[in-house]
């Protein structure tokens, strides 16, 4: 959008479409995602530092954290088999998506299959009218 507008463009929000067969929830754009950025090797929330949501013509990495909920009993069983409970402090560690992918790539591919992220951008057009633009991106396993 910055390529079509000379005005300031701001990444305003991000929603997530969870469309996996492993979830019981309706497949709709109802999951709000938390947006983070990589600033000099440190991951920071974009709302904590002014200007991190402002877009420019340079490529920038945006890190999106989402939460899944309402898994099917079959998927819950698989995840529970991977849980490690710390005896010291009671912290439950499931592991990262990367660890789950290394152990069972098909599981993660099926979990993320048909999922998408929608970024919305606020900007003013050339006649100074407020606009909102959307970019939809499919989720894939790398």
């Amino acid at each position: 959008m910055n390529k079509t507008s000379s005005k300031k463009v701001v990444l305003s929000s991000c929603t997530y479409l969870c469309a996996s067969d492993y979830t019981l929830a309706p497949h709709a754009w109802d999951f709000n995602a938390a947006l983070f950025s990589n600033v000099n090797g440190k991951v920071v929330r974009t709302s904590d530092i002014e200007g991190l949501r402002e877009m420019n013509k340079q490529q920038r990495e945006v890190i999106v954290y989402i939460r899944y909920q309402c898994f099917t009993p079959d998927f819950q069983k698989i995840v529970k088999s991977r849980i490690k409970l710390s005896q010291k402090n009671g912290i439950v560690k499931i592991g990262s998506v990367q660890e789950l992918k290394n152990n069972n790539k098909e599981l993660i591919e099926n979990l993320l299959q048909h999922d998408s992220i929608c970024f919305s951008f606020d900007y003013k057009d050339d006649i100074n009218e407020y606009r909102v633009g959307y970019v939809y991106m499919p989720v894939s396993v790398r």
Side-chain angles (χ1 to χ4, degrees):
M1 261 151 276
N2 240 12
K3 293 178 181 178
T4 60
S5 172
S6 59
K7 310 285 183 174
K8 181 170 79 169
V9 177
V10 176
L11 173 58
S12 58
S13 68
C14 178
T15 53
Y16 193 86
L17 171 64
C18 176
S20 171
D21 291 336
Y22 288 141
T23 58
L24 298 172
H27 301 159
W29 293 95
D30 60 353
F31 289 99
N32 284 321
L35 295 172
F36 292 79
S37 289
N38 183 339
V39 178
N40 300 324
K42 184 177 178 184
V43 176
V44 295
R45 192 171 182 107
T46 56
S47 58
D48 292 342
I49 298 176
E50 188 176 330
L52 279 183
R53 288 188 180 222
E54 190 171 326
M55 299 287 104
N56 56 35
K57 291 179 175 69
Q58 296 175 347
Q59 184 175 346
R60 208 172 108 216
E61 177 184 26
V62 176
I63 302 161
V64 180
Y65 285 92
I66 58 107
R67 61 178 167 74
Y68 276 88
Q69 54 190 7
C70 303
F71 288 121
T72 63
D74 289 339
F75 189 76
Q76 288 179 34
K77 187 176 178 181
I78 293 168
V79 171
K80 284 179 184 176
S81 71
R82 306 204 187 294
I83 291 176
K84 300 172 191 110
L85 181 61
S86 171
Q87 298 299 322
K88 294 180 182 177
N89 54 16
I91 294 175
V92 175
K93 292 186 179 182
I94 297 172
S96 69
V97 171
Q98 189 65 36
E99 290 169 339
L100 286 172
K101 185 183 101 175
N102 289 340
N103 293 333
N104 192 337
K105 184 175 182 178
E106 186 177 314
L107 172 78
I108 297 303
E109 285 176 348
N110 289 335
L111 175 65
L112 301 176
Q113 188 177 21
H114 308 298
D115 286 9
S116 296
I117 297 174
C118 175
F119 295 99
S120 62
F121 298 89
D122 298 341
Y123 66 101
K124 290 190 177 180
D125 63 15
D126 290 333
I127 56 173
N128 222 27
E129 288 190 29
Y130 178 76
R131 301 280 186 208
V132 177
Y134 300 95
V135 175
Y136 296 88
M137 301 181 71
V139 173
S140 61
V141 177
R142 296 193 292 170

